[in-house]
Amino acid sequence: MPTGTQDRPTEVTAAGIARLAGVGRAAVSNWRRRHADFPKPVGGTETSPAFALREIEQWLRDQGKLAEVPLRERVWQQLVGHPAGAAAALRQAGAVLLLAHDRPAAWQQLRAAADDAELTGVLPAVLDAVLAARLGPGHPVRGLTREALAPSAALVRATGDLAAADGAAAAYDFLLGRHLDANPRQYTLTPPGPAALMAELAAVAGPSGTVLDPACGAGALLAAARERSAEESDAGERDAGEGEAGESDAPVTLYGQEADADLAALTALRLALGAPDAQVRVRAADTLRADAFPDLAADAVLVHPPFNERNWGHDELAYDPRWEYGFPARTESELAWVQHALARLREGGTAVLLMPPAAASRRSGRRIRADLLRRGALRAVIALPAGAAPPNGVPLHLWVLRKPGTTPPAPQLLVVDAAGPAPGPAAGRDKPDWQTVRTTAVEAWRTFDRDGGIEEQPGVRRSLAAIDLLDDDVDLAPARHLPPPAAAGGPAELARIRERLTTTLARTTALTPRPDGGAAGPARWPLTTVGELARSGALVLRAGGAGTAPAGGAAPAVLTDHDVIGGDAPSGTLPEAPASGPAEEPVLLQAGDVVVPVLGGGAVARVTDDSTAGAALGRNLTLLRPDPAALDPWFLAGFLRGTANNRQASSYASTATRLDVRRLQLPRLPLADQRRYGQRFRDLAAFEGALRLTARLGEQLVQGLHDGLTDGSVTPD
């Protein structure tokens, strides 16, 4: 974890300056150009310079702009500029927020009665009492001494103000979320979709259970388990009627362990603030080497373990009693986590682990997999779509395990492919449809768990006898055991595809342009650039990528760069807005806008129509909105696609070619001539769309015939 020092100035980027002043980044760039006294960069790069925070604050104060700083941003900047580092400051802020949440009257009295020195002197004892009451003895939130808090008086008071303004839990969510976002390479986070699915598969029901995550990271799985438990409890109370009491008064207990001491402390505070009715017990230690809960018998265990670890304790843990199903090889750290999860379950308890697909088929783990099957411990392997969780390019698996009791069930394994069909060549790398994934996985698991088997659905799910899997490889990958779906819906569907292909080919022939009307040589038009047109008001230029989905409201689909390049409909989704702040407005498309990919797209420009209007503009895209009285959109898009035009406007400074849209050129022509060219470019776009459809139908027909011939649903005749 990086730490701040007194002799090195805290740095802030242009984006941070924009947040400080409550303006857009363009305003910061404008200040740098217009004001000679604007502070000079002290670090960063030429394209992303960094400035000294104190110098920036002083300049903004002198300009009368610092008063506009939102309270959240002021607290964040104090946190990242703390001499002990952001993690230590976040521990202090989180502890103060917990005090303000649990004992608001005591916090207000303490804050009002004490000056800065008295406040930081009295706080350690008060915070220790609150933390011990909520997190138990041995909690990981350390270092809250008088000396550590001495430079933090301003941060402490500002944090208290933030708790009063936003609520303690929302304030901490904002600060922790910003910290995690600022250090993406340091933390491997479990996204909300997989976390919620894992909690649902584990059947974390009722508020009185115990849930363990022995590799809890930032606490996403435990938070999902707490949320799932609360939903089940609310549903149970509604069913039972009001006025009844009983087990619903007992709180859920969340156990977590994390090797990173700083992250363990931050996670403990997150859970304590986010789940005030739950008992939270988070400890900082290496789980496999130093288990903090050796006597625990949890109702559910949820784990997103570290993948492909060689230094997991293989040499010193050879005789550990947890290896009930076999001693894992050095290369099988994931199977060590599987057995640790089983060892910490009560009989009949459920564990759900997020696993790399190789763990289902590596030969070095086949004996452990075989014993897990024989004894009925491994109950299901569910394949998720690529992009479900880091590493995003790998389609991960979920393993569902059940701690065998005295009478284990007949060994059966459920295999599910919740990834859906493989994307076609034009499909983007968009987020998975988690509603579909959840429905497929949860329905299959609940039916299998209830009935002991399930009706086979080709390509999606199947129940297998363990004895049929106990061969030399014990390969449990779902794709190896699921029969393929019927070939493209069978011969009738193949006939429909062929008919569509024939019709589309005829249309393609009719649309094929004739390259007639040639001129003697290249035209010598007077040229202008997109940048000049933007400055003159002939078009509006906007960059994509901004915007968040409103909480509880309908969010527009996002047009991604892959959609533009592939000619597809908008397929992306907006990220969720932070709980402590308003949603950020995205750039919404209108019919007649011209959209240009700026990274690796080649000569591509797309004119949006009514079907795309209303979608949000995605990352790595630039929008050009022409004034219809000055520019024809099809004329604009057509000339932007010229190969020579793109070459002179592209940067080859890195491995990825980036297009400088402002440098793209087009001729100065009267609007009537623009429309003549525009109609020709519109015809070319229709021809290009027909070619794309022809290619896709051809691929479907070829693959469907291959599948039909190989599964027998289509005969060679």
Side-chain angles (χ1 to χ4, degrees), residues 333-343 351 353 355 372 399 401:
S333 62
E334 296 86 5
L335 294 182
W337 287 99
V338 165
Q339 295 189 77
H340 174 83
L342 285 167
L353 286 86
M355 301 283 278
L372 290 169
W399 285 24
L401 302 108

Side-chain angles (χ1 to χ4, degrees), residues 10 21 29 43 54 219 245 277 310 319 404 422 458 501 623 658 675-676:
T10 302
S29 300
R54 290 184 179 179
D277 57 340
R310 296 298 182 97
Y319 300 102
L501 177 59
L623 176 147
R658 190 169 188 87
R675 288 172 178 162
R676 287 177 49 238

Side-chain angles (χ1 to χ4, degrees), residues 52 97 161 214 266 360 463 692:
L97 289 169
D161 293 339
L266 302 183
S463 175
R692 284 200 184 99

Side-chain angles (χ1 to χ4, degrees), residues 95-462:
V96 171
L97 289 169
L98 188 61
L99 170 62
H101 181 275
D102 285 8
R103 304 180 185 179
W107 161 246
Q108 291 297 339
Q109 182 179 3
L110 178 64
R111 183 184 179 192
D115 59 23
D116 286 354
E118 293 171 333
L119 181 63
T120 56
V122 175
L123 265 180
V126 178
L127 295 178
D128 281 347
V130 172
L131 291 167
R134 287 300 306 277
L135 303 177
H139 66 77
V141 188
R142 306 296 184 187
L144 303 180
T145 63
R146 178 192 296 263
E147 293 74 20
L149 289 170
S152 305
L155 174 63
V156 167
R157 293 187 183 278
T159 301
D161 293 339
L162 188 59
D166 292 353
Y172 190 73
D173 278 347
F174 165 75
L175 295 173
L176 178 61
R178 181 72 73 83
H179 176 68
L180 297 175
D181 290 343
N183 300 275
R185 296 184 180 181
Q186 187 172 348
Y187 305 111
T188 299
L189 306 178
T190 308
L197 174 57
M198 292 171 69
E200 192 163 5
L201 290 171
V204 181
S208 58
T210 56
V211 185
L212 168 68
D213 182 351
C216 64
L221 293 177
L222 290 173
R226 159 65 181 74
E227 184 174 350
R228 174 69 182 167
S229 173
E231 291 173 357
E232 291 288 331
S233 176
D234 292 343
E237 289 179 1
R238 287 194 300 269
D239 293 341
E242 297 182 1
E244 298 185 13
E247 290 186 311
S248 62
D249 296 328
V252 67
T253 303
L254 306 176
Y255 292 91
Q257 188 165 347
E258 168 57 42
D260 184 324
D262 282 331
L263 187 56
L266 302 183
T267 298
L269 291 165
R270 173 193 181 182
L271 295 172
L273 284 162
D277 57 340
Q279 294 186 35
V280 176
R281 298 292 183 265
V282 177
R283 300 295 177 261
D286 183 326
T287 295
L288 295 181
R289 290 186 173 91
D291 183 11
F293 309 106
D295 301 321
L296 180 64
D299 296 305
V301 177
L302 305 175
V303 198
H304 178 180
F307 297 161
N308 303 318
E309 276 200 337
R310 296 298 182 97
N311 185 28
W312 58 268
H314 177 270
D315 295 338
E316 59 263 48
L317 297 174
Y319 300 102
D320 195 290
R322 287 174 292 183
W323 316 143
E324 185 178 346
Y325 299 87
F327 180 41
R330 188 185 303 276
T331 56
E332 294 288 352
S333 62
E334 296 86 5
L335 294 182
W337 287 99
V338 165
Q339 295 189 77
H340 174 83
L342 285 167
R344 294 298 160 262
L345 280 173
R346 64 166 173 80
E347 285 191 5
T350 305
V352 183
L353 286 86
L354 191 62
M355 301 283 278
S361 55
R362 282 190 297 242
R363 287 187 60 82
S364 54
R366 64 190 185 279
R367 292 182 180 177
I368 294 177
R369 293 195 298 271
D371 208 28
L372 290 169
L373 289 173
R374 287 191 194 97
R375 298 172 59 180
L378 181 57
R379 307 293 289 138
V381 177
I382 301 170
L384 299 178
N392 290 310
V394 178
L396 302 178
H397 290 173
L398 289 177
W399 285 24
V400 184
L401 302 108
R402 180 73 49 76
K403 180 73 171 281
T406 54
T407 56
Q412 291 275 329
L413 180 72
L414 170 69
V415 291
V416 180
D417 186 354
R429 294 169 290 180
D430 301 302
K431 296 179 181 179
D433 179 0
W434 274 105
Q435 183 59 39
T436 301
V437 172
R438 174 200 162 278
T439 300
T440 301
V442 172
E443 286 186 355
W445 166 246
R446 287 180 176 172
T447 302
F448 174 83
D449 192 37
R450 181 187 65 241
D451 301 339
I454 196 169
E455 182 181 352
E456 180 180 300
Q457 185 176 347
V460 178
R461 65 191 193 188
R462 185 183 183 189

Side-chain angles (χ1 to χ4, degrees), residues 58 64 149 170 193 225 250 259 268 307 352 358 425 510 573 586 609 627:
Q58 185 60 50
L149 289 170
F307 297 161
V352 183
T573 55
D609 56 17
D627 179 353

